Amino acid sequence: MKKLMILGASYSQVPLIRAARELGLYTIAASIPGDYPGFDEADEACYVDISQPEAVLEAARSRGIDGITTCCMDTGLAAQGYVCSALGLPGPSWQAARTCTNKYLMKEAFRRAGVRAAEGRQICRREDLAAAMEELRFPLILKAVDLMGSRGIFRCDTPEEVYANYPRTMAATRLDYCLLEEFLDGEMFGVEAMISQGKLVSALPISTDTRTGVSPFPVGHSIPWPYLDELGDQVADQVRRAAEAFGCDNCPMNFDAMRLDGKVYLIEGTARAGATGISEMVGIYYGINYYEVIASVAVGLDVASYFASARRRPSLTHLFSSPAAGIVRGICREGTEHPMISDLSFNIRPGDEVRPMTNGRDRIGQIILQGESLEDCQQLLRETLAKLSLEIEETEHAGIHRYPML
């Protein structure tokens, strides 16, 4: 029986653990100790800090694993690449993992491979800002290169804002430099891709519903992407170039992308499957269990045949957010059951503190649904949101108030 180590044991890894066990793989959930559901789902628990590559390598070597993988988060990606390179396992290389977890290295890889991306400059000290601003066009965006989500990222419309936000970016990063790049003002979308046996076997564009904080962040996704026929070949070409530049093989890849003036730009990419319901949506679209594909490719199986399906079923995902700051006293979801809803779940419970969404980490739950058309999906979403409500004891106002989710 082949052994698969899965980095992370939170709720996001549970579908991957279950799919791997269904394939007959021996599963090892690796994470720091805690009340994580993945430990109960896996055949074996491995207590290790997955952000430490050397520690993960020692644990992997001692267990004689045949594959290592993760999904939905970057925390264990460096360790995954380190182990794959050290033990000769299928998956992203150490080079790929380092590139995917550093936005500056990623920018350089894009440049070398001819990937269409925003112009940017490395900033090592405050004095570098003036020269960079001379070469770049406003608006600009300052980025901590080593952090996930929107942390350490600030849009700047004037030189004064660049200078004001630079200390904030440097306070957030663990490194001694950051990235200043042009802000592309187009239509964001995502791409979920799969590399198997040295070939790009899928590059699926996914529409992204964004909300604006310090920078745009996703609050939902939908398939099919309306520009697939027009720009699908461009998407595949850009993703293929990026995968080769990163050194990725036998792994999923997830990209943030932009459609601007009829061209496809890649913003960022990583060597793992996307979060916020993307894996489930890919499965719905192709009529497959995408988590099964992720587990299979991690142990070296050719997964190209999974993507030959002509099903192409529309679906969408939507993140729930709190309309007010306070303490949750009740979650009302009566009448929301529906056969086309694949998942309707909350990651909060009564007694938890919530706040309005300013970035993706403020999510309080999600819904994933499907339909005969994207219009059907959007209608079902509206109907379901109208039936959902939260009871919140507000921070600034006395009493408990009920808020509809629509």
Side-chain angles (χ1 to χ4, degrees), residues 8 10 25 39 54 129 136 166 180 266 270 272 290 299 304 386 399:
S10 68
L25 300 175
F39 288 140
E54 285 284 359
L129 292 170
L136 302 174
Y166 174 68
L180 182 67
L266 296 188
T270 189
R272 48 88 177 156
Y290 190 56
V299 293

Side-chain angles (χ1 to χ4, degrees), residues 12-24:
S12 62
Q13 308 299 313
V14 168
L16 179 55
I17 296 169
R18 289 175 177 171
R21 294 191 69 183
E22 285 291 319
L23 286 170

Side-chain angles (χ1 to χ4, degrees), residues 175-252:
L175 302 179
D176 59 0
Y177 64 91
C178 67
L179 182 65
L180 182 67
E181 69 177 29
E182 294 179 353
F183 182 88
L184 297 179
D185 192 14
E187 181 181 319
M188 286 188 64
F189 67 100
V191 185
E192 182 69 20
M194 178 63 67
I195 315 295
S196 177
Q197 310 291 310
K199 296 180 180 179
L200 176 67
V201 297
S202 174
L204 181 62
I206 300 170
S207 296
T208 302
D209 180 17
T210 61
R211 186 175 297 179
T212 300
V214 292
S215 63
F217 61 93
V219 294
H221 303 279
S222 62
I223 301 175
W225 188 50
Y227 307 99
L228 179 60
D229 292 339
E230 176 187 349
L231 297 175
D233 289 343
Q234 270 197 51
V235 170
D237 176 64
Q238 296 296 302
V239 168
R240 189 178 293 107
R241 290 171 182 265
E244 292 174 357
F246 288 5
C248 286
D249 196 8
N250 295 309
C251 65

Side-chain angles (χ1 to χ4, degrees), residues 336-356:
T336 58
E337 297 80 8
H338 195 283
M340 292 293 102
I341 296 177
S342 306
D343 177 55
L344 195 166
S345 56
F346 289 86
N347 52 282
I348 56 167
R349 54 189 175 185
D352 287 348
E353 187 174 356
V354 294
R355 62 179 185 176

Side-chain angles (χ1 to χ4, degrees), residues 237-290:
D237 176 64
Q238 296 296 302
V239 168
R240 189 178 293 107
R241 290 171 182 265
E244 292 174 357
F246 288 5
C248 286
D249 196 8
N250 295 309
C251 65
M253 296 189 73
N254 182 262
F255 292 88
D256 293 330
M258 183 80 70
R259 183 183 70 89
L260 178 62
D261 297 330
K263 296 179 180 179
V264 171
Y265 293 77
L266 296 188
I267 309 301
E268 295 176 7
T270 189
R272 48 88 177 156
T276 61
I278 287 176
S279 293
E280 287 80 3
M281 292 173 62
V282 173
I284 291 169
Y285 184 75
Y286 285 111
I288 60 177
N289 183 336
Y290 190 56

Side-chain angles (χ1 to χ4, degrees), residues 36-333:
Y36 299 119
F39 288 140
D40 294 330
E41 295 282 347
D43 296 292
E44 180 182 341
C46 172
Y47 300 113
V48 63
D49 184 346
I50 65 172
S51 69
Q52 301 299 314
E54 285 284 359
V56 175
L57 175 59
E58 180 180 350
R61 182 177 279 132
S62 68
R63 286 164 173 80
I65 68 170
D66 300 284
I68 183 169
T69 191
T70 189
C71 67
C72 304
M73 63 180 187
D74 286 337
T75 309
L77 193 56
Q80 181 186 358
Y82 192 71
V83 171
C84 285
S85 289
L87 301 184
L89 298 177
S93 66
W94 174 228
Q95 170 201 334
R98 290 177 64 243
T99 302
C100 290
T101 52
N102 183 303
K103 293 178 176 65
Y104 174 69
L105 296 180
M106 189 183 306
K107 178 73 65 178
E108 288 297 289
F110 283 167
R111 180 184 58 79
R112 291 192 301 270
V115 173
R116 197 178 293 118
E119 284 290 322
R121 299 291 183 271
Q122 184 184 39
I123 305 297
C124 298
R125 54 183 184 170
R126 189 177 188 276
E127 288 73 17
D128 295 337
L129 292 170
M133 285 188 283
E134 286 289 329
E135 298 174 352
L136 302 174
R137 293 179 299 179
F138 280 88
L140 301 174
I141 187 163
L142 274 165
K143 290 184 175 181
V145 303
D146 58 331
L147 301 177
M148 295 172 58
S150 302
R151 291 176 294 171
I153 296 180
F154 302 96
R155 172 175 167 157
C156 306
D157 293 312
T158 64
E160 291 75 18
E161 289 182 354
V162 170
Y163 285 117
N165 285 320
Y166 174 68
R168 300 171 67 190
T169 294
M170 295 309 296
T173 183
R174 298 180 293 266
L175 302 179
D176 59 0
Y177 64 91
C178 67
L179 182 65
L180 182 67
E181 69 177 29
E182 294 179 353
F183 182 88
L184 297 179
D185 192 14
E187 181 181 319
M188 286 188 64
F189 67 100
V191 185
E192 182 69 20
M194 178 63 67
I195 315 295
S196 177
Q197 310 291 310
K199 296 180 180 179
L200 176 67
V201 297
S202 174
L204 181 62
I206 300 170
S207 296
T208 302
D209 180 17
T210 61
R211 186 175 297 179
T212 300
V214 292
S215 63
F217 61 93
V219 294
H221 303 279
S222 62
I223 301 175
W225 188 50
Y227 307 99
L228 179 60
D229 292 339
E230 176 187 349
L231 297 175
D233 289 343
Q234 270 197 51
V235 170
D237 176 64
Q238 296 296 302
V239 168
R240 189 178 293 107
R241 290 171 182 265
E244 292 174 357
F246 288 5
C248 286
D249 196 8
N250 295 309
C251 65
M253 296 189 73
N254 182 262
F255 292 88
D256 293 330
M258 183 80 70
R259 183 183 70 89
L260 178 62
D261 297 330
K263 296 179 180 179
V264 171
Y265 293 77
L266 296 188
I267 309 301
E268 295 176 7
T270 189
R272 48 88 177 156
T276 61
I278 287 176
S279 293
E280 287 80 3
M281 292 173 62
V282 173
I284 291 169
Y285 184 75
Y286 285 111
I288 60 177
N289 183 336
Y290 190 56
Y291 291 105
E292 180 180 309
V293 182
I294 297 168
S296 296
V297 79
V299 293
L301 299 179
D302 188 344
V303 298
S305 61
Y306 281 94
F307 301 97
S309 165
R311 185 183 185 189
R312 308 296 193 266
R313 188 168 182 82
S315 63
L316 65 76
T317 180
H318 175 80
L319 297 185
F320 299 142
S321 60
S322 176
I327 305 298
V328 176
R329 295 307 180 196
I331 302 172
C332 308
R333 50 182 295 173

